[in-house]
Amino acid sequence: MSDSLKTVKFTKSIQAGLSKNFDCGNPALTLFLKNHIALDISYGTTYVMMADNTIVGYYNISTGCIVTEDNIRMGGSVYINCLAVDIKYQKKKFMGNYYSDILLADCLNHDINLREEIGFGFITLSSTEEGDYLYERNGFFQLEEDMSIAKNQGEDKCSPMYLPLDYE
Ligand SMILES: CC(C)(COP(=O)(O)OP(=O)(O)OC[C@H]1O[C@@H](n2cnc3c(N)ncnc32)[C@H](O)[C@@H]1OP(=O)(O)O)[C@@H](O)C(=O)NCCC(=O)NCCS
């Protein structure tokens, strides 16, 4: 395993090369990185975390919002479309922390850095069963009954979750 990690914006050349070996165990989320959608700015922006010449994991972020039962906006959000860690790095640690926690922390830092520019109050996502524990231990809540978010196609079985940025 490498002694350093770096996150970079996903590019055509990374897709053509390193993404071929990526496998997170979830066929749809593995395929996402190899498909044109991962580079489609209208869908979201993809970042990959690398250790040497290997992709440890990736995330794709876009915008979203939380609405009430009456479809009134409660606040804007950054929506994490996808986040996945390669099987080789799942349940493994780097300097005492799970790679999954490091990848999510990187994603959240990235999001929070955008806050001054765009203005939003939440991070939202639709979690797979495998992701639930990761998000819960990092402060995310299941969406309340009177809240809803728009999901992507294929996320019907996922649990909507949110992280309030001004939670006290
Ligand atoms: C979701 C994902 C990033 C989580 O990464 P991970 O490295 O597997 O991290 P986990 O949180 O599952 O595991 C970390 C630890 O928590 C434990 N854990 C996981 N779920 C748990 C639970 N419900 N209760 C208690 N402990 C749990 C694991 O056993 C592990 O501990 P261990 O090292 O003692 O075995 C990874 O499984 C993945 O990429 N999956 C495919 C893509 C996906 O589903 N992404 C989420 C989409 S939103």
Side-chain angles (χ1 to χ4, degrees), residues 1-111:
M1 296 263 166
S2 162
D3 58 5
S4 70
L5 296 173
K6 68 168 179 188
T7 305
V8 296
K9 205 164 179 178
F10 194 50
T11 60
K12 269 187 183 168
S13 84
I14 300 174
Q15 187 171 55
L18 298 180
S19 82
K20 292 207 167 75
N21 294 326
F22 183 80
D23 181 6
C24 71
N26 174 317
L29 291 172
T30 295
L31 196 60
F32 179 90
L33 203 59
K34 303 165 197 238
N35 200 298
H36 67 90
I37 196 166
L39 290 164
D40 181 353
I41 190 87
S42 299
Y43 183 83
T45 308
T46 305
Y47 296 88
V48 282
M49 181 169 274
M50 324 264 290
D52 298 327
N53 254 352
T54 312
I55 297 177
V56 171
Y58 79 90
Y59 54 85
N60 176 287
I61 52 174
S62 65
T63 53
C65 70
I66 299 185
V67 297
T68 65
E69 321 171 84
D70 303 324
N71 213 19
I72 304 294
R73 277 174 63 94
M74 290 177 67
S77 74
V78 165
Y79 188 73
I80 305 177
N81 282 318
C82 317
L83 181 145
V85 170
D86 189 281
I87 289 172
K88 292 191 287 299
Y89 295 90
Q90 288 179 16
K91 303 192 189 349
K92 299 249 164 42
K93 291 184 178 176
F94 178 80
M95 294 185 170
N97 297 302
Y98 286 109
Y99 281 97
S100 54
D101 288 322
I102 297 171
L103 182 68
L104 180 58
D106 189 276
C107 176
L108 297 181
N109 280 336
H110 205 143
D111 301 343

